Amino acid sequence: MTPADNPFADLSTLKVHFAHVAYQMEPRFKERNSGIGYFQTWDTGETVRRIPEADVFVVSGLWDNSLLDVATNLKYIQSIGAGFDQFPLDELRSRGIRLASARGVNSNAVSEHAMAMVLGLARHIHTGRDNQSKSFWRNMISDLSKREDELGGKTMLIVGLGTIGSRLARLAKAFDMRVIATKRDLNVSDTAADEIHPPSAVPELLPQADFVALTCPLTDETADMINAETLSLMKPSSYLVNVARGGCVDEVALLNALRNGDIAGAAIDHFKAEPLPADSPFWQQENVIITPHTGGETRMYEDNVIDILLENLGRLSRGETELLNQIV
C-alpha cells in the first residue's frame, strides 16, 4: 500500500471518536499530545449524532450494529474492552473496517479482583460487611464447616489460562494453593499452574477443586458451561468465581445450587443481564458476592487502552497489516 492509498498515512487528518458512559478517554488522550483529532460522547444519542465524523471509533458498551449505517467515514474500531462478541465481524470485514480488542489491558486488575473474591469467600468478608451494616457482632463459630478457612493446600481450577488466568495462577501459588487449569493451546505453557489440561477435561477436574475460577472468553464452547450437570460435579464445600462473561453460567442452575447447598457460594462480576435487575434473587443470597462488572476497572484502564490504540494507529500509518490484538 502506497502512502497515497493509505487513509492512515497522515494521522493528523484523522478524527478519533471515544464513546463511553464513564471512562475518561478524552482527557487521558489529550495528555498524549498525539496531534490526532479527537472527541468523546457519553450517551447513545450523542454517539449516533457524531459518529459520522469518526475515522476511528473507540467504544465498548455504547456499540450498536445500527451505528454502521451512519458511520460513513469509519475505518478502524478499537474496543475498549477485552471482549468483542458484540461486534458483527463479517459485516466489518465486508466494509473494510478493522477491529482490535483491548485484551490484556485489565489482566492485572481482573486477576487481582478474582483473587480478592477468593479471599473474600474464604474469610467471609461479605458476611462481615453484612453484619457491619446491621451493627451485629458475630460470635465465634463452633461448626467447622461454617468457619472461615485458609487457602494453603486448597485447589483452584482456572478455566481459561490466558493472560488473566496465568496471572491468577501466580497469585494463587503465592497463597500456597494447588493450581490446575484448562487451556486451548497446550503448547504455550509459561505458567505457574501445577497442571494444564484441555478444556474437555473440565468435568474430571471439577470434583478436585475448592475454587473454580472462570477467566475464559465467551464462545459457543463456553456458553453455559457452568450448568446443572457441571455444578453437580463440584464439591459441596467449593466456590465458583466468575470474572468472565455472565453467559458462561446458567444462572438458574447456579441459583438452585446455591439455595440447595450443592456448592458453598459464589462470587460473580458479570451477569447475562446488566445492570442486574433489582428483583433478581441473587441480591438476597447470603453466600454470594456481587460486584457490578468492575473487575477490570482501575485508575490505569484508560491509559492502557490508549497505549493499544496509539500502537495500532502507528502500525496502520506505516501500512502494516497486523494489529495488536487484531480481530478483523
Side-chain angles (χ1 to χ4, degrees), residues 127-319:
T127 58
R129 183 70 181 191
D130 291 345
N131 289 335
Q132 178 180 336
S133 68
K134 302 171 186 174
S135 302
F136 174 71
W137 186 275
R138 193 208 75 191
N139 292 324
M140 290 183 287
I141 296 175
S142 178
D143 186 342
L144 292 177
S145 68
K146 297 181 180 178
R147 196 182 296 174
E148 291 89 343
D149 209 349
E150 300 177 24
L151 296 181
K154 296 291 190 297
T155 295
M156 177 185 290
L157 167 60
I158 300 175
V159 181
L161 199 64
T163 307
I164 294 170
S166 294
R167 188 164 188 270
L168 177 57
R170 294 196 298 273
L171 295 175
K173 292 301 293 182
F175 286 88
D176 299 321
M177 299 184 76
R178 171 179 174 249
V179 178
I180 55 179
T182 64
K183 186 176 180 64
R184 284 177 291 183
D185 186 359
L186 298 181
N187 294 318
V188 182
S189 58
D190 182 17
T191 175
D194 297 291
E195 299 176 17
I196 307 174
H197 301 266
S200 59
V202 166
E204 65 188 71
L205 299 174
L206 286 171
Q208 305 178 42
D210 298 292
F211 294 87
V212 177
L214 305 185
T215 58
C216 54
L218 177 59
T219 65
D220 291 341
E221 290 73 28
T222 60
D224 285 343
M225 66 173 300
I226 299 300
N227 50 46
E229 180 179 356
T230 50
L231 286 163
S232 71
L233 299 174
M234 294 173 61
K235 296 191 286 189
S237 59
S238 66
Y239 296 92
L240 174 70
V241 173
N242 186 18
V243 290
R245 293 288 186 179
C248 295
V249 177
D250 179 336
E251 293 174 358
V252 173
L254 175 59
L255 188 63
N256 288 335
L258 291 166
R259 287 172 166 171
N260 297 334
D262 298 330
I263 64 172
I268 309 168
D269 187 54
H270 192 276
F271 290 86
K272 290 180 178 178
E274 293 192 348
L276 185 66
D279 61 354
S280 170
F282 279 103
W283 291 115
Q284 309 306 320
Q285 285 297 126
E286 292 186 358
N287 55 349
V288 172
I289 296 175
I290 294 172
T291 54
H293 201 172
T294 54
E297 285 193 4
T298 72
R299 300 174 191 183
M300 293 297 297
Y301 196 93
E302 287 92 334
D303 287 308
N304 292 341
V305 174
I306 290 169
D307 286 343
I308 296 176
L309 170 67
L310 290 175
E311 169 66 24
N312 281 336
L313 288 177
R315 294 186 185 192
L316 290 167
S317 72
R318 296 187 294 270

Side-chain angles (χ1 to χ4, degrees), residues 112-124:
E112 290 171 13
H113 195 84
M115 198 67 219
M117 286 175 147
V118 169
L119 286 164
L121 290 167
R123 300 303 307 166
H124 295 194

Side-chain angles (χ1 to χ4, degrees), residues 10-202:
D10 184 357
L11 294 179
S12 67
T13 65
L14 298 180
K15 188 64 69 72
V16 177
H17 179 177
F18 298 103
H20 201 281
V21 298
Y23 290 169
Q24 301 292 320
M25 302 300 299
E26 183 177 35
R28 301 308 300 164
F29 190 74
K30 180 180 180 180
E31 295 192 3
R32 302 300 182 100
N33 295 314
S34 66
I36 303 170
Y38 59 90
F39 63 92
Q40 179 159 351
T41 58
W42 302 88
D43 57 49
T44 298
E46 190 182 14
T47 298
V48 172
R49 182 173 62 83
R50 297 203 63 184
I51 195 172
E53 305 171 42
D55 300 288
V56 177
F57 195 30
V58 186
V59 65
S60 56
L62 286 175
W63 173 261
D64 187 275
N65 291 348
S66 64
L67 289 170
L68 287 173
D69 295 330
V70 290
T72 51
N73 292 317
L74 189 58
K75 305 171 183 68
Y76 164 45
I77 298 172
Q78 173 62 62
S79 174
I80 292 177
F84 54 89
D85 51 286
Q86 71 269 44
F87 297 103
L89 304 188
D90 290 339
E91 181 67 17
L92 295 182
R93 291 188 186 96
S94 70
R95 294 173 182 251
I97 299 173
R98 306 299 303 275
L99 170 66
S101 77
R103 177 173 54 85
V105 298
N106 58 8
S107 58
N108 287 355
V110 177
S111 58
E112 290 171 13
H113 195 84
M115 198 67 219
M117 286 175 147
V118 169
L119 286 164
L121 290 167
R123 300 303 307 166
H124 295 194
I125 301 300
H126 53 308
T127 58
R129 183 70 181 191
D130 291 345
N131 289 335
Q132 178 180 336
S133 68
K134 302 171 186 174
S135 302
F136 174 71
W137 186 275
R138 193 208 75 191
N139 292 324
M140 290 183 287
I141 296 175
S142 178
D143 186 342
L144 292 177
S145 68
K146 297 181 180 178
R147 196 182 296 174
E148 291 89 343
D149 209 349
E150 300 177 24
L151 296 181
K154 296 291 190 297
T155 295
M156 177 185 290
L157 167 60
I158 300 175
V159 181
L161 199 64
T163 307
I164 294 170
S166 294
R167 188 164 188 270
L168 177 57
R170 294 196 298 273
L171 295 175
K173 292 301 293 182
F175 286 88
D176 299 321
M177 299 184 76
R178 171 179 174 249
V179 178
I180 55 179
T182 64
K183 186 176 180 64
R184 284 177 291 183
D185 186 359
L186 298 181
N187 294 318
V188 182
S189 58
D190 182 17
T191 175
D194 297 291
E195 299 176 17
I196 307 174
H197 301 266
S200 59
V202 166

